[in-house]
Amino acid sequence: MLGLMMDMPLLVSQLIRHADRHHGATEIVSKTVEGTIHRYTYRDAHKRARQLANALKRLGVGPQDRVATLAWNGHRHFEIYYAVAGSGAVIHTINPRLFPDQINYIGNHAEDKVVFYDTTFAPLIDKLKSQLKSVKHWVPMNDEYDRLLDAQSDDFEWPSFDENTAVCLCYTSGTTGNPKGALYSHRSTIIHAYASALPDAINLSARDVILPVVPMFHVNAWGLPYACALVGAKLVFPAQHLDGKSLHELFESEEVTMSAGVPTVWLGLLNYMKEKKLRFTTLKRVVIGGSACPPAMIRAFQEEYGVEVLHAWGMTEMSPLGTVTTFKAKHRKWSAEERTRLQNKQGRVLFGVDLRIVDENGRDLPWDGKAFGDLQVRGPWVIKSYFKAEGGDPLKDGWFPTGDVCTIDADGYIQVTDRSKDVIKSGGEWISSIDLENIAVAHPAIAEAAVIGVKHPKWDERPIIVAVKKPGQEVSKDDLLRFYEGKIAKWWMPDDVVFVKELPHTATGKLSKLTLRQQMKDYKLGAG
Ligand code: ADP
C-alpha cells in the first residue's frame, strides 16, 4: 500500500516562489563589482528571475542545456541561479581562479551554451571566446544584462518535472588530472538545503542576515543561496570585495549575523580588525570549512570577538555539507577549554549522510577517536558518478571514498588528520600534518604554515614546516620548534623549519601542498 500524500517533486523554483510569497519584503543587498550598493527584495529577485527565464527561452536555452557563470556573489548571479534552475536548464558555475586551460577544458566538457560574466572577467572572456565552441551567447552582467531582462515580461510559470532532473554542475578543482563535474539534482539540492538549515547544522532562520563570503562558484557558496531562500533570511553579497576592510564595513552596515568562508579569508579579516582595534556589533556566528580551521582562529573569534565558530567539513562531491561541530546536551558541563578542543574536530554528520572509516582492506574501523582510516560517505546529496562518467565508477561497495583520513569518536565527531595524498608516513606510522600546522599557526609570529613529508633514509618520511611570518614579527627555527614541546609526541617533532615569503594556494583558497612539494623538490633534510 502506498502512502496517500501528494506527489509533488522537490524543485528549486519552489524556493524562490516561497521566499517571494512569505518573505517578499526581505532584502537582498549586494555590493556591486563597481563598489556601489544595490538593494532589492526576494519579491524583486523572483520577478527578475522570471524575466530572465523568458530571456533564456529567447536565447534558445532548452531543457538541460548548460548555462555558465563566471561571476562573484551578487544579485544578478542569484537571479541566474533561479532562472536557469527553475526553467529546467543546468547552471554551471565556473571558478574564475582556475587556470585558463582548465576553464577551457571544463567549458568544452560541459558544452556551455550561454556564459554570463561579471565585467571584471572581460580580459579572461576575450581569451575564452575563440576556445569555447559550444557557446552561442556571451552576456556581460551589467546594463546589457539588465536590458535583456527589461525587454521581457515577468509572466512565466515555473515548469514541473522529475525532481531527479539535473540542476547544477560544479567541477572539482582537479589538483591531479582534469577537473571532474559533480552534477546535482533538484531533489539533492532541496534536501541539502533543508538539512543545512537545521540548528545542529548551520542553523539558519528568517531572523538572520547572512553574508556568504564563500563564492557562488565554490560549491554554490556551500548551498547558501538555496538555504537562505528556504528560511527567508536577508542576504548580503560582497562581490570581489573580500579584504578585511570591505568585509568589516559590510558586516556592520548591513547588520550581518552570520557568515561562511574558508580560513584564509578570515585570516585577512581578523588581522585587519586587530590592527584597527575594531569590533563586530551584530555578527553571531561564522561557518569555517573547506580546510581545517586552526584552533587559534576558533579562539580568536570566540574569545576576542564573541562570535561562535561552526567548524564544518564537506566537499564538492557532497553538495558540499557533511559534518558540522555543534555541541550535545552533555557538553554543557564541559569546561570552555574542553569545548574549544571539541571544536577543533570537524563535527557530527547531518542526518541524511552516513559515514564510516575503513582500513586499506575496506574493513570498518572503530569509533574510538584514535583509529584513523579512509573516510567514506553515502547519502542523497553525495555523488554516485561524475558528469559524463569521467574517471569511471567512483564508488566502493556503494560508498563514496572522500580521500580524507579521519578518526571518529564515540559521539560520532570526525576529525580529519589529512588528505590521503598529504599523509606523512614515518617509521610505518602516520603523522597528522593538520595537527602540526595548527600548532605552528598558534605561534604569535606565524601567519600561515604548511607541513609536508620529505624523504628520510631511515624513517621513510619526516615532517618539515614551511611557514610565513607575520609582517614585522621575528621567530627563529629553534623558537618555533620549542613551541611544539609538550604539545605532541616526541617522534612527531618536525625535523626542520623553512621560512618563505608566501605559500601556494589552490583556486578555492586552500594550501596547495602539491605545488609546495614541487617547489620543495630539491630540498634535502640536513642541508639547510
Ligand atoms: P577542492 O579541493 O576542489 O576545493 P573541495 O572544495 O570539494 O575541493 O574540497 C574538499 C576537501 O577539502 C575535503 O575532502 C577535505 O580534504 C577538505 N576539507 C573541507 N573541509 C575541511 C575541514 N573542515 N577540515 C579539514 N579539511 C577539510
Side-chain angles (χ1 to χ4, degrees):
M1 185 159 61
L2 292 176
L4 293 173
M5 308 310 278
M6 290 188 195
D7 192 10
M8 283 174 67
L10 301 172
L11 300 175
V12 165
S13 54
Q14 290 154 1
L15 294 172
I16 192 69
R17 183 175 177 277
H18 169 83
D20 174 348
R21 283 167 75 85
H22 304 280
H23 306 279
T26 298
E27 278 185 309
I28 300 174
V29 181
S30 308
K31 183 155 181 182
T32 63
V33 164
E34 295 79 20
T36 56
I37 295 287
H38 175 275
R39 213 174 265 286
Y40 72 170
T41 64
Y42 275 114
R43 183 152 304 139
D44 300 326
H46 188 204
K47 176 171 184 269
R48 300 244 307 171
R50 296 195 310 270
Q51 288 175 296
L52 178 55
N54 277 322
L56 289 172
K57 226 184 210 172
R58 276 280 169 93
L59 295 178
V61 174
Q64 302 301 281
D65 278 345
R66 267 75 73 198
V67 175
T69 57
L70 266 161
W72 301 106
N73 294 3
H75 66 285
R76 293 186 182 107
H77 204 176
F78 183 82
E79 293 158 6
I80 298 168
Y81 260 52
Y82 281 101
V84 174
S87 48
V90 175
I91 176 160
H92 170 207
T93 48
I94 302 178
N95 183 343
R97 294 182 186 137
L98 293 172
F99 295 116
D101 276 354
Q102 287 179 314
I103 298 183
N104 259 339
Y105 171 84
I106 64 176
N108 282 311
H109 190 265
E111 300 170 80
D112 296 324
K113 211 158 178 187
V114 180
V115 177
F116 288 97
Y117 63 95
D118 269 328
T119 48
T120 46
F121 301 119
L124 172 62
I125 296 292
D126 284 343
K127 282 191 213 127
L128 290 174
K129 275 188 176 164
S130 62
Q131 311 276 344
L132 300 192
K133 305 288 182 222
S134 54
V135 178
K136 301 276 185 297
H137 304 280
W138 301 84
V139 186
M141 290 157 71
N142 54 13
D143 305 354
E144 191 176 325
Y145 166 95
D146 292 337
R147 280 197 299 275
L148 180 77
L149 268 64
D150 291 341
Q152 299 297 326
S153 143
D154 62 7
D155 191 5
F156 187 93
E157 279 293 318
W158 299 118
S160 183
F161 40 79
D162 186 335
E163 64 183 18
N164 289 301
T165 304
V167 68
C168 174
L169 182 60
C170 291
Y171 282 79
T172 63
S173 45
T175 35
T176 49
N178 279 325
K180 295 201 281 277
L183 186 62
Y184 313 127
S185 67
H186 283 259
R187 174 187 155 82
S188 71
T189 304
I190 300 269
I191 304 180
H192 177 267
Y194 262 121
S196 61
L198 286 170
D200 269 5
I202 55 177
N203 190 10
L204 309 173
S205 81
R207 294 166 294 292
D208 278 314
V209 180
I210 299 174
L211 188 153
V213 171
V214 50
M216 289 165 78
F217 55 74
H218 186 196
V219 215
N220 295 323
W222 301 346
L224 285 169
Y226 305 116
C228 288
L230 183 141
V231 300
K234 171 178 164 181
L235 263 167
V236 183
F237 290 126
Q240 80 278 33
H241 314 286
L242 301 178
D243 56 285
K245 180 171 188 292
S246 309
L247 280 179
H248 183 260
E249 278 171 10
L250 204 53
F251 277 27
E252 289 301 303
S253 61
E254 295 305 324
E255 304 185 336
V256 171
T257 60
M258 195 270 197
S259 187
V262 296
T264 341
V265 189
W266 300 126
L267 204 65
L269 177 63
L270 289 174
N271 285 342
Y272 172 76
M273 295 201 31
K274 190 153 198 180
E275 187 191 315
K276 301 283 178 202
K277 300 197 170 44
L278 296 169
R279 308 291 304 167
F280 293 114
T281 37
T282 54
L283 189 67
K284 299 238 160 19
R285 32 190 221 294
V286 287
V287 182
I288 306 184
S291 48
C293 179
M297 186 173 282
I298 298 181
R299 248 177 268 125
F301 267 114
Q302 297 189 158
E303 290 162 23
E304 288 169 41
Y305 297 102
V307 174
E308 184 194 1
V309 170
L310 296 170
H311 191 187
W313 169 88
M315 57 196 312
T316 307
E317 288 86 341
M318 36 191 326
S319 310
L321 264 183
T323 63
V324 184
T325 300
T326 53
F327 298 107
K328 297 188 177 185
K330 71 176 192 185
H331 297 130
R332 229 177 278 142
K333 296 202 192 88
W334 285 22
S335 68
E337 186 60 37
E338 285 171 316
R339 285 162 63 95
T340 315
R341 207 172 315 126
L342 185 67
Q343 288 178 297
N344 298 341
K345 300 194 174 192
Q346 280 74 4
R348 288 183 283 126
V349 82
L350 274 56
F351 169 78
V353 176
D354 191 10
L355 50 74
R356 66 175 188 179
I357 42 174
V358 296
D359 65 14
E360 60 272 27
N361 301 314
R363 275 190 307 251
D364 260 301
L365 287 166
W367 292 23
D368 57 8
K370 291 195 184 75
F372 45 93
D374 293 317
L375 181 68
Q376 300 187 333
V377 293
R378 61 182 181 192
W381 61 84
V382 179
I383 67 154
K384 64 177 173 202
S385 173
Y386 288 100
F387 185 45
K388 296 186 172 172
E390 219 54 58
D393 181 4
L395 304 191
K396 275 188 190 155
D397 304 328
W399 294 79
F400 177 77
T402 63
D404 287 332
V405 177
C406 287
T407 61
I408 308 180
D409 68 22
D411 288 324
Y413 290 77
I414 72 160
Q415 181 153 25
V416 181
T417 57
D418 259 308
R419 274 192 157 180
S420 54
K421 41 186 187 293
D422 296 331
V423 150
I424 302 168
K425 222 167 187 188
S426 187
E429 301 276 355
W430 284 353
I431 295 176
S432 163
S433 67
I434 294 181
D435 279 358
L436 294 180
E437 285 156 8
N438 283 343
I439 296 172
V441 295
H443 189 285
I446 299 295
E448 205 180 6
V451 172
I452 53 171
V454 293
K455 286 260 162 297
H456 188 280
K458 180 163 174 210
W459 303 111
D460 192 17
E461 272 187 336
R462 289 298 302 160
I464 63 160
I465 309 167
V466 187
V468 180
K469 289 181 208 165
K470 280 189 188 156
Q473 300 274 354
E474 264 317 315
V475 54
S476 70
K477 166 186 160 181
D478 291 338
D479 283 342
L480 185 58
L481 290 179
R482 218 168 297 129
F483 191 66
Y484 278 82
E485 283 170 12
K487 298 189 173 80
I488 46 166
K490 279 218 174 68
W491 65 276
W492 276 38
M493 186 59 83
D495 278 27
D496 198 6
V497 183
V498 179
F499 289 107
V500 292
K501 288 261 171 306
E502 62 177 346
L503 285 163
H505 292 94
T506 69
T508 47
K510 305 176 191 196
L511 278 175
S512 176
K513 293 202 190 166
L514 189 79
T515 316
L516 182 62
R517 279 193 293 264
Q518 277 159 4
Q519 288 172 357
M520 299 288 295
K521 69 179 184 324
D522 295 329
Y523 170 89
K524 288 226 166 33
L525 266 181

